[in-house]
């Protein structure tokens, strides 16, 4: 039996897991993404009523202040991966985005599948 060694194993093929695996691979890390479902990103199909609310177009501080209960636990994540980074990430994958009422960010196509397809293409690459 041959064993393959990875520098990093990401458990969970949701949006965060896929983005983490892509980012690590771009930095030269040998990554394995593990997902129990037959398809990665399944829950993304239902976000934003099928349109995939990607992020909010705001500063990290605005994001934290809009968190209903004790957003302090999000501080580090919001500072390291601000909403602007998320927008740039998807733009670099070729997904045009738009900002709607309430500063919500969606793909211009209004199709969650475009976000999932872009992530999956980049994972395969």
């Amino acid at each position: 039996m041959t064993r393959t060694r990875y520098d990093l194993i990401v458990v969970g093929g949701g949006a965060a897991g896929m983005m983490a695996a892509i980012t690590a691979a771009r930095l030269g890390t040998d990554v394995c993404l593990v997902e129990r479902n037959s398809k990665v990103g399944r829950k993304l199909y239902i976000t934003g009523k099928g349109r995939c609310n990607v992020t909010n177009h705001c500063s990290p501080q605005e994001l934290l202040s809009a968190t209903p209960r004790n957003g302090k636990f999000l501080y580090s994540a919001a500072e390291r991966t601000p909403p602007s980074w998320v927008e740039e990430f998807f733009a670099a994958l070729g997904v045009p985005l738009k900002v709607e009422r309430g500063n919500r960010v969606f793909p211009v196509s209004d199709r969650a599948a475009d976000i999932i397809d872009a992530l999956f293409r980049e994972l395969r690459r």
Side-chain angles (χ1 to χ4, degrees):
M1 181 167 117
T2 307
R3 286 191 178 204
T4 304
R5 293 191 180 267
Y6 296 98
D7 298 324
L8 175 68
I9 297 174
V10 177
V11 179
M18 288 189 285
M19 291 172 74
I22 289 166
T23 302
R26 287 177 177 173
L27 294 171
T29 305
D30 190 16
V31 181
C32 175
L33 176 63
V34 179
E35 169 57 42
R36 71 177 171 163
N37 292 311
S38 60
K39 189 171 183 182
V40 294
R42 289 183 63 187
K43 288 184 183 176
L44 287 172
Y45 283 111
I46 61 172
T47 62
K49 297 181 182 173
R51 299 188 311 140
C52 196
N53 181 202
V54 175
T55 189
N56 287 343
H57 186 75
C58 64
S59 70
Q61 294 75 24
E62 290 172 295
L63 180 70
L64 293 170
S65 67
T67 303
R69 284 182 239 119
N70 194 6
K72 287 182 183 179
F73 78 97
L74 289 175
Y75 181 80
S76 179
E79 287 295 320
R80 290 187 178 148
T81 313
S84 60
W85 183 92
V86 176
E87 290 183 55
E88 291 167 13
F89 180 89
F90 285 104
L93 292 181
V95 181
L97 301 173
K98 64 181 176 179
V99 179
E100 291 189 358
R101 178 182 49 84
N103 287 328
R104 296 173 300 156
V105 179
F106 293 94
V108 169
S109 66
D110 285 330
R111 295 183 58 235
D114 289 349
I115 295 291
I116 298 163
D117 292 347
L119 288 166
F120 189 70
R121 273 193 312 272
E122 189 65 11
L123 284 170
R124 290 185 55 126
R125 190 175 74 71

